Amino acid sequence: MTGGDSAVQNDKPNSPTLIQEEVGDVGGTQKVTKLASSVETAGADSQQPAPDPPSAPLIPESQQNGHVNNHHHQNGKEAARAAEDGLAVEEVGKGSPEGTKADKDDQEVIVIQDMGFNIKVVAPGIEPFELQVSSQEMVQEIHQVLMDREDTCHRTCFSLQFEGNVLDNFAELKNIEGLQEGSVLKVVEEPYTVRESRIHMRHVRDLLKSLDPADAYNGMDCSSLSFLNVITEGDIEMKKRKRNDSDSVDCTPPDYVMPGAKDRPILPLQPISKDLKTPQCLKVLTASGWNPPPGNRKMHGDLMYLSVVTAEDKHFHFTASTRGFFVNQSTQEIFNPKPASPKCWAHSLIELLNQISPIFKRNFATLQKRRVNRHPFERIATPFQVYCWTAPQMDHTIDSVRAEDAYTSRLGYEEHIPGQTRDWNEELQTTRELSRKNLPERLLRERAIFKVHSDFVAAATRGAMAVIDGNVMAINPGEEAKMQMFIWNNIFFSLGFDVKDHYKEYGGDYAAYIAPCNDLKGVRAYNGVDIEGLYTLGTVVIDYRGYRVTAQSIIPGILEREQEQSVVYGSIDFGKSVVTNDKYLELLEKTSKPLKILPHKVINDQNEEVQIISSVECKGIVGNDGRYYVLDLLRTFPPDVNFLPMEGEELSEECKVLGFPRKHKHRLACLRQELVDAFAENRYLLFMRHAALQLMSIRQKKATTVEEEQKISKRLVAAAQGLRSPDLPPKEVNDDEENSQTKEEDPTNQSPPTTQPDGEQPSSESKAIETKESRESDVDAASREVINTACRAIGSLSDSEFDVRFNPDVFSPGVTHPNPQGDQFRKQKQLVKDAAAFLVSHQIAGFVKDCIEHSITAIDGQSLCEALHDRGINMRYVGKVADLLSQHKLLEHIHRIAVSEMICRAAKHQFKTYMQGVEMLCLSAAVSHFLNCLLSTFSNPHPQLPEDFGLNMNKKKKNKKRSRHYPIANHVDREWASLSPQDMWSNIKTEVKEYFDFSLTCDSCDSAVETYGLQKTSLLREICIKCGVQVLLREYTFDSKHRATFTEEDIINIFPIVKHVNPKATDAYHFFQSGQVKIQQGFLKEGFELINEALNLFNNVYGAMHPEIAACLRTLARLNYILGDPVEALNNQQKAVLMSERVLGIDHPNTITEYVHLALYCFANQQVSAALRLMYRARYLALVVFGEDHPEMALYDSNIGLILHGVGEIDLSLRFLENALELNKKYHGQRSLKVALNHHLLARAFSCKGDFRAALMHERETYTIYKSQLGEQHEKTKDSSECLKHLTQQAVVLQRTMNEIYKSGSQATIPPLQISPPSASSVLELINIINGIVFLPLSQKDLDRLQQRQQVLGNLAEKQAKDMPAIKEAGDQESSAPKVPEEDDAKATTADVADADDGAAR
């Protein structure tokens, strides 16, 4: 079975099995061989962005013959096992981490043959069946499939036998002698043990609960919600096989979706499925009170006793014995372990229950059918837990397995690992040490890293919640509460407080709260560089109930030594005492270039100069395992001097104008890695531009030969690339340059090249030699001059090469530098200041410009945050961004989101300190009171205190001593209850001013809503997501002046907010990027193949569920649609929607976009009713997330209006189209082409209604805009002119007819008006245009010509780059590549098709 293809697509369209179709191309082979050469990669070690979240069992279900690879076993077998399932790979020249060409010859060529074949499985009690398998998979994976099939799922304790031999679970099928096509495997029932019987009981419980959404609502076991099939009233896959009856389309939208609706109901967010009520199979299944069996019964094979109450209300006691399960004669009062009469015995619980309970037999069969009919993506667990901010009131049912999980230590058998807890540090580091020489090895390594990481995050989250809930004993219980530390499950936990005034000079507790997140960014950066031999700790930061907990893996031996003894590199006291280590310097030197960290010296307390290549806070510790660890990476990136006021330091004018430097709440403000990279790239381009200008001036002053110019160019490139980071766009460097780069790195010390053709020159030629040497000397001088001038112009730290790296300690208060007044140190300080100025003047301005051009579409706080972070802008600048946005009327929607984000973040800061004073008893009362003060109109809310609250208060003094041992759980403080709405909003205003430097002009929620156009439902959603609060799914009345909005019953749960480093699938990402480049160049087929391969590789690393896989599926669906396969587009997009709901959330911005795309493909497949329901869902989610006043809403309304127009609902259509027109006018301007198209759509709708006057008015507007924007000769202007003529004729005919009626009375005959409803194809064409898809009628000849032209351009560009490496590119940076008049336009349009609103910004 091919892990690589799981959840991708089915290459065999007529595949007989649902699972094969949905979750894998079984037995197929990947096409990596052919495509590897198409992908340019910076090597497996390069950094790249990737999405956030998932892992879990990809277990197929159903009675079909296909099955899939269980990538992420939750019963946690060796993480590093066989990651190469189903790869047929030939490795072709992967680059080394530095991307050099020289290593290509050393690459191994690896071929793994993957043989797919069918075997026959014979199981007791059912007919034999065939199963398609792959030679690469393990026997254990066949076990998983059998435990999931409808007819064999009741078995857990069995072995597989082949020719009488029991197969090893971890053996690969290719290693089993004689196993081939048609071989027969026998399922043999095995004797139980206590462990096996407990596993069996848990499996039965999971089967009975498989349709229950409780785990998804409660955020447990990586379950999450999906409502696509509820919205479409069934699987679209099944519907598309039936004939669509368009006459029975129900088009009426719910009232709350209509344009202008004021209500924002919450109930439709989680619609109730008709099938939600799962049939009850059993009332009770639990361990009996007669456990454990007495000694004499153990001698008879009794393992444990179970108590069962059937749906018929009959009570039974079962014995689990080594041979299976039977009914015994015990009752609640009497113990009689002998078998009941008549004897009921079976090897599995399901079979036994079928014998004794007819209702169980009937209902379990129904449940099984429903279970296997669900889409696999609705059932597979996600790698990381996704929480929802609303939930209905769920019935709490008896569940003994769940009870046992909650109140026993799950560690011993949690993941079915015998004997001990997991050594997380060893697992995390061992997976990173796996070989990565070729593609199969890298896939194995990345898959193992991802699996271990997702398990570690789950364990760390559970542990952090246990710590805050008071369920873990501190390792230093005698210390004050804030200073306590914890170890649980081999994970170290510390709280985000300033212990022993460690951060006193940096902002105290506030700095201590920020430090873990900065440290996490440092871990992410070092993991991205991925240097062999340098190790980071597994790190997860969890915010829960107002506390910040840092969870870290434990360095072997660190708990046995004092910190001073352990640290061999760095400082433990912020720079006073500093030590260094040669091995660390060697390892960190490799990170210097990619992370832009400057090696520098500091002076320690012994007055010695110490060389370091990191910030002083970075500590190096050699563990007992001999590994070199770096930790405390909180200052990996340079300080942000805009938020670091210092005496005697002047900032640039552009910073001063905006009020910088500003005092911040802490002194740990650092620049983001994205900003550092963007700044270095910007300086590099400036360097090359200055150099190009210098070369031009040299050329004008004196005639240099082509050879000399090339020599200067080579030296310039060598200097420029002396410190090029591999993640910046590579510049072409030929072999000569590479060989000479080290020699010419310092042009000031160059000796004249000695490349004379002969070893000795005749004396008669000595004059010629002197002449040549003098010219060489001139060339050297010219090289030096060009490089020196360019270096000085861009502020390079070296005069002889491009060197933009940062000294992270340059403004650290406790650090002493060797020569603080020196020129070099001044340059280092200036570079940090320049980076901060670049953020303000370049990045923020660029962000606003992108917003104006609509290349950024922020629709909630999260998408705004991602857009800012992508440009390296920290969220503390959002106040300045909002001030700039407010100057542009067209950006009102993003300004509104920015203000909302500041309010919610300020409220979150307040929530943190507020919750720390609340005891467990009052949590729901405290949270509801907080939300009332924030959102309710009621001016005097009082918290509902529990009845025994006063009792607790009286005990406060007595328990003061005891509370030291239970610092968090039992801390009692009544201060939270005195919070009022006035205090809350006063604090928010102060916090927004202090933190974001933005002045709020509101003093209550109502005035904020009125002033900034916010809506309370959106604020509630944002604050719940940010603070981890889950509220009851009901309609809330925010505007009542007589009662509070929330009661304590409305607070369902509090969830942790988890931050961690997402491991990357490097090779898959390179395939995906290369595919996107191909698409943008117009090569859709090649792009499709590359992205398909990216999907295979992503599946190999991540399993079936991941946001990056959803992005691949979305792009593939778009390409399927463009390439003329709407059915396959629908198939892929349905998977993308389900996955987005599961791994991102049901109301995530990406999910809304996926719904819109799916609606388009449904309409293209004549599923009009489904298309409308999907569009209504998208519009509803958008209303909840950001409201109606947003340019994106115009797109949704245009789509809905067109579909309604297509089915003849003209009046409804007009309401949506008119709203779209108003929004487009507001956000794109009166003369925008979007507005012209809207007018045209309205003209069509009015003409179908017979209102030709209104139609003429709108079409005239269309014509006027096209004429002014495109000119009279443009095709669109001519089409509009034709439409005007047609409408005028129709209007004249109608007027004449009306005149006849007035003259002749009612006897006049009215000729039928030529009002024909639009054809489905014309509606689809317009929907495509609105969604950025334009089909170009190109012949094969045209396509061939375009591709040839593109090839010529590519070759030309390559040749130019080789002739004048980097210089030409820098000189022409502002101008783009040669423009190809019509072909390029056509190609670009085709490319845009694929990517139009499909970008990662969503």
Side-chain angles (χ1 to χ4, degrees), residues 892-906:
E892 188 183 306
H893 59 295
I894 300 182
H895 179 260
R896 188 184 313 121
I897 292 167
V899 172
S900 166
E901 183 69 1
M902 285 186 282
I903 290 173
C904 290
R905 282 177 179 255

Side-chain angles (χ1 to χ4, degrees), residues 1237-1369:
L1237 182 56
N1238 268 123
H1239 278 300
H1240 176 64
L1241 299 180
L1242 280 164
R1244 283 166 54 98
F1246 276 118
S1247 67
C1248 286
K1249 193 181 177 185
D1251 187 347
F1252 293 110
R1253 179 174 295 175
L1256 270 169
M1257 182 185 77
H1258 283 291
E1259 193 58 46
R1260 276 197 200 98
E1261 288 289 335
T1262 302
Y1263 177 74
T1264 308
I1265 295 170
Y1266 281 155
K1267 186 179 172 184
S1268 66
Q1269 299 286 343
L1270 305 172
E1272 284 198 36
Q1273 299 308 309
H1274 195 278
E1275 190 181 339
K1276 286 189 174 180
T1277 315
K1278 290 178 180 176
D1279 288 348
S1280 182
S1281 176
E1282 286 299 315
C1283 190
L1284 270 176
K1285 287 177 189 171
H1286 176 71
L1287 287 172
T1288 307
Q1289 289 168 2
Q1290 291 290 308
V1292 169
V1293 170
L1294 180 63
Q1295 192 58 47
R1296 281 180 187 158
T1297 308
M1298 297 303 292
N1299 292 342
E1300 284 293 316
I1301 292 174
Y1302 290 135
K1303 286 180 185 174
S1304 316
S1306 58
Q1307 282 75 35
T1309 56
I1310 303 174
L1313 288 168
Q1314 294 177 17
I1315 301 175
S1316 54
S1319 66
S1321 60
S1322 71
V1323 172
L1324 184 59
E1325 186 182 335
L1326 283 165
I1327 289 178
N1328 287 334
I1329 291 169
I1330 282 171
N1331 289 284
I1333 298 176
V1334 181
F1335 289 96
L1336 298 170
L1338 296 177
S1339 65
Q1340 188 57 44
K1341 187 178 172 185
D1342 292 332
L1343 286 172
D1344 293 343
R1345 191 158 55 88
L1346 280 176
Q1347 295 201 358
Q1348 285 170 7
R1349 182 70 170 159
Q1350 184 65 25
Q1351 202 68 47
V1352 170
L1353 286 174
N1355 294 341
L1356 180 65
E1358 197 174 325
K1359 185 172 184 300
Q1360 285 176 340
K1362 283 181 179 172
D1363 289 345
M1364 284 284 283
I1367 297 290
K1368 177 69 179 165
E1369 183 180 335

Side-chain angles (χ1 to χ4, degrees), residues 365-406:
T366 307
L367 182 144
Q368 282 289 80
K369 281 191 172 53
R370 272 202 223 161
R371 183 175 72 91
V372 297
N373 284 335
R374 292 175 77 196
H375 194 287
F377 284 4
E378 293 180 274
R379 301 182 267 116
I380 297 164
T382 60
F384 304 106
Q385 187 63 56
V386 177
Y387 303 102
C388 52
W389 62 278
T390 58
Q393 194 68 59
M394 304 294 292
D395 294 332
H396 196 57
T397 52
I398 285 183
D399 183 344
S400 62
V401 178
R402 182 189 64 219
E404 186 180 25
D405 281 353

Side-chain angles (χ1 to χ4, degrees), residues 506 597-598 600-602 612 614-617 635 637-641 644 646 649 667 671 797 805-820 822-834:
Y506 290 87
I597 296 173
L598 180 73
H600 58 283
K601 292 181 178 177
V602 295
I612 55 174
S614 64
S615 67
V616 288
E617 292 88 355
R635 295 175 69 102
F637 298 108
D640 184 352
V641 292
L644 205 62
M646 288 163 295
E649 298 294 343
R667 296 177 65 84
L671 300 174
L797 296 178
R805 288 180 293 176
F806 297 93
N807 177 349
D809 297 322
V810 75
F811 290 116
S812 297
V815 179
T816 310
H817 301 276
N819 185 9
D823 189 50
Q824 192 62 21
F825 191 68
R826 183 191 55 74
K827 280 185 180 179
Q828 292 172 14
K829 291 205 290 190
Q830 190 56 45
L831 204 56
V832 173
K833 292 179 189 175
D834 288 350

Side-chain angles (χ1 to χ4, degrees), residues 1224-1237:
N1224 275 333
K1225 279 183 179 176
K1226 180 174 180 180
Y1227 289 110
H1228 293 277
Q1230 297 277 354
R1231 292 294 167 211
S1232 155
L1233 294 179
K1234 284 182 183 289
V1235 172
L1237 182 56

Side-chain angles (χ1 to χ4, degrees), residues 5-9 18-19 21-24 58 224-226 229 374-382 1095 1099 1103-1106 1109-1110 1113 1131-1132 1134-1143:
D5 280 329
S6 68
V8 183
Q9 69 173 74
L18 176 132
I19 284 298
E21 179 177 342
E22 301 299 348
V23 198
L58 170 53
S224 57
L225 298 166
S226 171
N229 287 337
R374 292 175 77 196
H375 194 287
F377 284 4
E378 293 180 274
R379 301 182 267 116
I380 297 164
T382 60
L1095 184 56
N1099 272 282
M1105 305 290 284
H1106 196 278
I1109 297 176
L1113 287 166
N1131 178 28
N1132 278 327
Q1134 181 187 18
K1135 294 175 188 173
V1137 175
L1138 286 168
M1139 197 174 298
S1140 187
E1141 285 190 309
R1142 294 288 317 284
V1143 300

Side-chain angles (χ1 to χ4, degrees), residues 8 98 242 371 413 525-527 575 594 655 904 975 1056 1061 1132 1196 1230 1302 1362 1374:
V8 183
E98 269 70 50
K242 303 175 185 174
R371 183 175 72 91
Y413 75 102
Y526 280 94
N527 282 357
C655 293
C904 290
E975 198 176 318
V1061 179
N1132 278 327
Y1196 307 155
Q1230 297 277 354
Y1302 290 135
K1362 283 181 179 172
E1374 298 302 324

